[in-house]
Amino acid sequence: MDKQVLFQKFVAFTTSVHEVTDELTKDVKSDTITPVQYSILEYLAVSQPATLSQISDCLPMSMPNTSRELRKLGEKNLCEKFDVAEDRRKQYIRLSKEGQAMMNEAFQRIEKRFLQRIQGTSEEDLEQIELALDVLSSRVFHSR
Amino acid sequence: MDKQVLFQKFVAFTTSVHEVTDELTKDVKSDTITPVQYSILEYLAVSQPATLSQISDCLPMSMPNTSRELRKLGEKNLCEKFDVAEDRRKQYIRLSKEGQAMMNEAFQRIEKRFLQRIQGTSEEDLEQIELALDVLSSRVFHSR
DNA sequence: GGATTTACTTATCAAATGATAAGTAAAGAG
DNA sequence: CTCTTTACTTATCATTTGATAAGTAAATCC
């Protein structure tokens, strides 16, 4: 296997993934929040509850800036903090009901666009796609 | 096929792709340029020569801002403008020798990290990966 | 029990980015 | 030949983002 060729395919592929996700998520962001704030909500939608440190590590964003943006999201009633019983320094952060609703709506719009994108794909091809997602997730795009 | 499940895998997958590409491209950006400027150079590396309008459409970024950032890149001697003979309103933009060198170096560092990431993968699995990239590129992540 | 580390906050500052208004010059349309 | 459109520039401004310094309070280490 020529790994140089594989790398070129990899680069082209990741570029396409970025383009397509940009297209799918275009305009789903409520105009009351900034892009960075959306990315926090998106992270929470998948990984809640999360501590501030986790969010800061994963996005990635410095602790002070993460703290600031979470405060703003809190002021907009989109997420909430909860004390952690075992360690009173920590705080779990969750989407509020409102935040959850906003993200549900966003994901629904993205899903609709996604389904449009794969409409007309045969059952066989869909299974190939699912397999391919699994292969790449486990072999290439795993976090370490 | 449950398309809902497929969508969930799709979302998780694109998130991973973003995380991994962030990791691979971390610190390859020269500290003399901003992230937006890097994205312009990256676009040029793949699609040069390009007009300002093309860059503006694809990135996406307003014309005035694209113009400003290209001027800054020009001042840093990373890209150059050429008149288009057929239409004197247009200008082709290309990486300069210096800009090309910077991007080559960046891509080399990314490739090195990529190869580390897939080191120890069997020949058989590598072929599976290549196949999976092809499947997803053609069936899901093609541009509209 | 004092020192250190962890988790997070507050405040402040500079730089990057996005948006808009107002221009120039060339091309194309009628 | 004038009018409109296209391609791009310049200037300006507000907002967002990133980075750093300095703090609090709780947990952990020795």
Side-chain angles (χ1 to χ4, degrees), chain A:
Chain A
M1 162 82 57
D2 185 343
K3 290 188 176 176
Q4 203 111 4
V5 170
L6 190 63
F7 175 64
Q8 277 164 24
K9 282 196 183 191
F10 171 81
V11 170
F13 177 73
T14 54
T15 305
S16 299
V17 171
H18 280 91
E19 273 175 27
V20 168
T21 52
D22 281 357
E23 192 199 312
L24 290 179
T25 58
K26 201 173 222 169
D27 310 320
V28 301
K29 303 167 179 62
S30 152
D31 52 2
T32 62
I33 59 173
T34 69
V36 171
Q37 285 166 11
Y38 178 82
S39 71
I40 293 178
L41 294 182
E42 198 177 47
Y43 178 80
L44 285 174
V46 179
S47 309
Q48 66 182 335
T51 65
L52 201 144
S53 308
Q54 277 177 276
I55 299 171
S56 171
D57 284 348
C58 295
L59 282 186
M61 203 184 215
S62 72
M63 286 271 288
N65 293 335
T66 308
S67 178
R68 175 185 61 199
E69 298 308 321
L70 281 172
R71 181 177 48 71
K72 288 181 186 170
L73 286 170
E75 284 165 2
K76 291 174 184 169
N77 297 311
L78 295 170
C79 68
E80 294 164 342
K81 294 178 184 176
F82 297 90
D83 288 346
V84 176
E86 313 87 63
D87 188 336
R88 295 202 301 167
R89 291 170 305 178
K90 293 186 183 177
Q91 302 206 301
Y92 277 141
I93 293 141
R94 287 201 196 88
L95 294 177
S96 68
K97 205 174 165 185
E98 233 177 293
Q100 191 70 60
M102 176 187 280
M103 291 314 288
N104 284 348
E105 203 194 310
F107 274 110
Q108 265 172 33
R109 291 170 75 174
I110 296 169
E111 181 170 5
K112 204 173 156 190
R113 292 178 190 174
F114 171 73
L115 293 178
Q116 269 172 17
R117 179 165 271 273
I118 59 163
Q119 80 183 354
T121 306
S122 71
E123 194 64 17
E124 201 180 339
D125 284 353
L126 287 176
E127 269 160 37
Q128 271 213 316
I129 289 170
E130 188 170 9
L131 191 67
L133 288 175
D134 290 339
V135 166
L136 292 181
S137 292
S138 60
R139 303 245 196 284
V140 183
F141 296 104
H142 51 84
S143 47
R144 31 181 54 197

Side-chain angles (χ1 to χ4, degrees), chain B:
Chain B
M1 161 82 58
D2 185 344
K3 290 188 177 176
Q4 206 111 5
V5 171
L6 190 63
F7 176 63
Q8 277 165 25
K9 283 197 181 189
F10 170 81
V11 169
F13 178 73
T14 53
T15 305
S16 300
V17 171
H18 280 92
E19 273 175 26
V20 169
T21 51
D22 281 358
E23 193 199 311
L24 289 179
T25 59
K26 202 175 221 168
D27 309 320
V28 302
K29 304 166 181 60
S30 151
D31 52 3
T32 61
I33 59 171
T34 70
V36 171
Q37 284 166 12
Y38 178 82
S39 71
I40 293 178
L41 294 182
E42 200 177 45
Y43 178 80
L44 284 175
V46 180
S47 308
Q48 66 182 334
T51 65
L52 201 144
S53 307
Q54 275 178 279
I55 299 171
S56 172
D57 284 348
C58 294
L59 279 185
M61 201 186 216
S62 71
M63 287 270 286
N65 293 335
T66 308
S67 178
R68 175 185 62 202
E69 298 308 321
L70 280 173
R71 180 177 48 72
K72 288 181 186 168
L73 287 171
E75 284 165 2
K76 291 171 185 170
N77 296 314
L78 294 170
C79 67
E80 294 163 341
K81 294 178 183 176
F82 297 90
D83 288 345
V84 176
E86 314 87 62
D87 187 337
R88 297 202 300 168
R89 291 169 307 178
K90 293 187 182 176
Q91 303 207 301
Y92 276 142
I93 293 141
R94 287 201 196 87
L95 294 177
S96 69
K97 205 173 165 183
E98 233 178 292
Q100 190 70 59
M102 177 188 279
M103 291 313 289
N104 285 347
E105 203 195 310
F107 274 109
Q108 266 173 33
R109 291 170 74 174
I110 296 170
E111 181 169 4
K112 202 173 158 191
R113 292 180 189 171
F114 170 74
L115 293 177
Q116 270 172 16
R117 178 165 270 272
I118 60 163
Q119 81 183 352
T121 306
S122 70
E123 193 66 17
E124 201 180 339
D125 284 353
L126 287 177
E127 270 161 37
Q128 270 213 315
I129 289 170
E130 187 170 9
L131 190 67
L133 288 174
D134 289 339
V135 166
L136 292 181
S137 292
S138 60
R139 304 245 196 282
V140 183
F141 295 104
H142 51 84
S143 42
R144 20 156 277 107

